[in-house]
Amino acid sequence: MCAQTGPELFFPEPGSSTREAKFLCGLCEIREACLEYALTHDERFGVWGGLSEQERYELRRRRSSSAA
């Protein structure tokens, strides 16, 4: 689904909305795999698997604190 959409939707300017990108992610069959890819490869920019940079950071932080 994201392959047919321009990258600007998933890599918005700072302060821009990620709502549309997250909506498309919610419809995607491989959303979880995309998110795991972003977490594994430390993707720091854009919307991946339905989560923004800040949301992925928080998820990584929660995962590391629960593993400790």
Side-chain angles (χ1 to χ4, degrees), residues 2 25 28 30-40 43 47-50 56:
C2 59
C25 289
C28 185
I30 63 164
R31 179 181 155 289
E32 290 182 32
C34 179
L35 177 57
E36 285 305 317
Y37 174 88
L39 295 171
T40 301
E43 291 290 346
V47 174
W48 290 81
R56 288 192 308 279

Side-chain angles (χ1 to χ4, degrees), residues 4-67:
Q4 291 82 29
T5 307
E8 59 278 348
L9 185 69
F10 295 94
F11 296 92
E13 294 293 321
S16 297
S17 176
T18 58
R19 186 178 306 146
E20 290 179 57
K22 290 179 177 185
F23 175 78
L24 286 179
C25 289
L27 301 174
C28 185
E29 296 176 3
I30 63 164
R31 179 181 155 289
E32 290 182 32
C34 179
L35 177 57
E36 285 305 317
Y37 174 88
L39 295 171
T40 301
H41 293 88
D42 198 27
E43 291 290 346
R44 296 183 183 212
F45 302 100
V47 174
W48 290 81
L51 298 182
S52 68
E53 298 99 336
Q54 184 62 36
E55 291 165 332
R56 288 192 308 279
Y57 171 79
E58 293 295 330
L59 179 59
R60 276 193 299 272
R61 201 175 66 135
R62 284 193 308 265
R63 283 183 174 183
S64 66
S65 67
S66 67

